[in-house]
């Protein structure tokens, strides 16, 4: 395995996965060595599937320490927006044409996109624990990512009801 240090995140490129593209591994942790949220319960593995021009699910709720697997990434990548992740966290990036996994340990909202298909609205959101940075995300979101943030806000309001 080769490890490349990108800001505060380690990105590891392991050998090819059987019957799949190579895999990118990233950990979204505090860039300045801050505190990650304590996991509530057991850490889980969850999947996001890339389809023609969308991620499924578009919005994912997980606990700190859960690992998100991005699958079916041929012709896709997944890049978190710099300004649409919790403060002090290095945004994650799953390389084009590679399945990948990201372990998120800091609570908050992470909005991401597929660069090749972003003009068609291919974006998603992951909420880790509590959406502690939702106001920041709403204030800074631009472009096609606004649609996913509006959907996320509606979903969060429904969860409160």
């Amino acid at each position: 395995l080769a490890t490349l240090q990108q800001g505060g995140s380690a990105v590891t490129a392991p050998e090819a996965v059987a019957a799949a593209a190579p895999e990118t591994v990233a950990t979204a942790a505090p860039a300045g060595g801050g505190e990650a949220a304590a996991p509530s319960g057991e850490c889980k593995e969850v999947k996001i599937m890339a389809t023609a021009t969308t991620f499924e699910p578009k919005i994912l709720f997980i606990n700190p320490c859960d690992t998100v697997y991005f699958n079916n990434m041929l012709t896709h990548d997944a890049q978190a927006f710099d300004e649409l992740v919790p403060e002090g966290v290095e945004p994650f990036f799953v390389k084009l044409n590679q399945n990948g996994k990201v372990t998120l340990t800091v609570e908050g909202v992470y909005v991401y996109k597929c660069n090749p298909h972003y003009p068609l609205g291919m974006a998603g959101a992951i909420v880790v624990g509590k959406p502690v940075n939702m106001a920041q995300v709403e204030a800074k979101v631009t472009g096609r990512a606004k649609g996913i943030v509006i959907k996320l806000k509606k979903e969060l309001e429904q969860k409160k009801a």
Side-chain angles (χ1 to χ4, degrees), residues 108-133:
V109 176
Y110 296 73
V111 180
Y112 63 94
K113 65 181 175 178
C114 169
N115 287 297
H117 300 106
Y118 184 62
L120 301 172
M122 190 169 181
I126 301 170
V127 180
V128 180
K130 297 176 185 166
V132 296
N133 63 326

Side-chain angles (χ1 to χ4, degrees), residues 4 8 10-11 27 32 61 77 81 87 89 96 99 109-110 114 116 118 139-140 143 150 156 159:
L4 168 67
V11 179
T27 303
F61 293 87
D77 65 11
F81 289 90
E87 192 173 319
V89 171
L96 183 68
N99 291 329
V109 176
Y110 296 73
C114 169
Y118 184 62
K140 293 185 176 185
I150 290 167
L156 290 170
K159 284 182 175 258

Side-chain angles (χ1 to χ4, degrees), residues 59-116:
I59 299 171
L60 179 66
F61 293 87
I62 64 171
N63 292 314
C65 91
D66 287 353
T67 298
V68 178
Y69 286 87
F70 286 87
N71 294 307
N72 197 36
M73 297 299 284
L74 296 175
T75 75
H76 302 289
D77 65 11
Q79 180 177 6
F81 289 90
D82 292 341
E83 64 281 1
L84 303 180
V85 297
E87 192 173 319
V89 171
E90 187 74 24
F92 64 83
F93 180 68
V94 176
K95 294 179 183 178
L96 183 68
N97 297 325
Q98 293 186 9
N99 291 329
K101 63 182 177 179
V102 180
T103 300
L104 303 169
T105 60
V106 178
E107 282 194 315
V109 176
Y110 296 73
V111 180
Y112 63 94
K113 65 181 175 178
C114 169
N115 287 297

Side-chain angles (χ1 to χ4, degrees), residues 7 43 78:
C43 297

